[in-house]
Amino acid sequence: MRAIRTRSQERIFNLLKTIKKGISAQDIYVELRNTNQSMGLATVYRSLEALKLEGMVQVRNLANGEALYSLAQQDKHHLTCLQCGVSIPIHQCPVHDLEDQLETSHKFKVFYHTLEFFGLCSQCQVNQATEIGQ
C-alpha cells in the first residue's frame, strides 16, 4: 500500500528517478532550485526521511559522513578507499540468502541492504608504500 506523499516528496522522488547515482540532500536542494522547484533544506531532509521510511529511498553513508540518497531499486555494495574516497561498486551479492532467512525468521520486511568494505585502493596502497620507502 502506497503512502500519500506530499508535493515536496513527489518532487524529490521524481528528481531521484532521473539521477542514476547517489546524491546528497544539499545537491538535491540545489537541483530543485535550479529547476524552479525550490524548497527549504529542512523540507528536503524531512521528505527524504519520509521516503526512506516508506521504503522508496535508500541512504548510503560514506566514510566522510556524507549521506547519499537514491531510489531503493536495488541493493548497493561498494569497496570504499579511506584515503582518497574512491568508491568501487561490487556487482555480486553474498548476503541475499541471509536476507531471505532474516525475513523469515524475524518476520521482518527488508526493503534494501547495503554492504560496504573499507580499506585502501590499489593506487593509495602504492602511494603509501612509496612514502614508507622514502
Side-chain angles (χ1 to χ4, degrees):
M1 175 181 228
R2 191 184 131 190
I4 297 172
R5 294 192 195 120
T6 65
R7 189 173 347 149
S8 298
Q9 291 167 6
E10 284 294 335
R11 287 178 180 169
I12 290 171
F13 185 74
N14 289 332
L15 174 66
L16 290 174
K17 282 197 272 188
T18 67
I19 297 173
K20 301 300 180 203
K21 61 179 183 150
I23 183 172
S24 70
Q26 292 85 355
D27 288 340
I28 290 171
Y29 171 77
V30 169
E31 286 292 323
L32 291 171
R33 288 191 69 185
N34 289 343
T35 59
N36 295 320
Q37 301 180 71
S38 66
M39 64 182 73
L41 186 56
T43 301
V44 170
Y45 278 105
R46 278 192 306 272
S47 297
L48 286 167
E49 183 64 20
L51 290 167
K52 184 179 80 169
L53 292 175
E54 187 184 333
M56 301 305 294
V57 169
Q58 64 189 48
V59 62
R60 177 173 168 244
N61 294 302
L62 300 180
N64 66 3
E66 183 179 25
L68 299 180
Y69 297 88
S70 61
L71 292 184
Q73 296 176 336
Q74 60 186 10
D75 302 322
K76 305 285 186 187
H77 309 96
H78 296 86
L79 301 171
T80 299
C81 182
L82 293 169
Q83 186 72 37
C84 69
V86 69
S87 189
I88 304 161
I90 304 170
H91 299 293
Q92 67 265 29
C93 178
V95 297
H96 277 295
D97 290 339
L98 174 61
E99 182 179 300
D100 293 340
Q101 291 171 12
L102 292 172
E103 281 196 0
T104 302
S105 65
H106 294 282
K107 296 182 181 7
F108 185 87
K109 177 63 181 152
V110 176
F111 291 136
Y112 66 90
H113 69 262
T114 60
L115 180 62
E116 191 106 19
F117 295 94
F118 296 94
L120 293 178
C121 69
S122 58
Q123 185 59 52
C124 287
Q125 290 175 58
V126 168
N127 293 347
Q128 189 177 55
T130 304
E131 289 174 9
I132 292 172
Q134 291 180 356

